[in-house]
Amino acid sequence: MKINWGTSIVIAFALFITFILYFVFKVQSNPKYDNELVTEEYYKKELVYSKQMEKEQNAADMIVNVLVFRTNEGIVIVFPATIDIAKIKGKVSLYRPSNQKLDFEVPISLSSPHLLIPKSNLASGLWDISVDWTYDGKEFLKKEKINY
């Protein structure tokens, strides 16, 4: 049996398509490859984006802003010393882009102007940190990316 070049091209395309489909089905059916969304309820979060922008602008308008930095003990969040820390309410959200299972939140309750998130709670890698807080009825939002 003799195969001409047209038949060879069709066979090559069929083998290539089969090869690609094999890997697509393998990735979709294997639980090792987690195909989750980056964040839950993505569209609901998108609707509140303008509110977040307003909070970020309030934080940018402050003379002394919240500082977020890495130390050997963990991540430290320092609030301005000029404000009454007893009136600060809010939460710190730590978001891990590579693994949703590591995300967590810490409520803000201060006895001094700084908040420490211990190193034991943090896996090494990139963390997106959002400090969402209110002071005297005004809302603020500070976002940082830290590689720990």
Side-chain angles (χ1 to χ4, degrees), residues 42 55 82 90:
Y42 171 78
K55 290 179 183 181
T82 58

Side-chain angles (χ1 to χ4, degrees), residues 38-104:
V38 174
T39 59
E40 290 294 324
E41 300 177 353
Y42 171 78
Y43 295 107
K44 286 184 181 178
K45 287 189 175 184
E46 186 65 29
L47 293 175
V48 298
Y49 185 69
S50 62
K51 182 71 173 169
Q52 286 184 345
M53 293 301 294
E54 182 181 322
K55 290 179 183 181
E56 286 182 28
Q57 186 60 45
N58 288 344
D61 291 342
M62 291 181 68
I63 296 170
V64 179
N65 205 344
V66 173
L67 299 174
V68 180
F69 56 92
R70 184 182 102 179
T71 64
N72 290 335
E73 293 83 29
I75 294 176
V76 176
I77 301 164
V78 180
F79 290 89
T82 58
I83 62 176
D84 182 13
I85 60 172
K87 295 181 182 179
I88 296 175
K89 304 283 184 240
K91 65 182 177 181
V92 178
S93 302
L94 287 97
Y95 167 73
R96 184 67 185 263
S98 63
N99 189 348
Q100 181 181 7
K101 295 174 182 123
L102 296 176
D103 297 353
F104 65 97

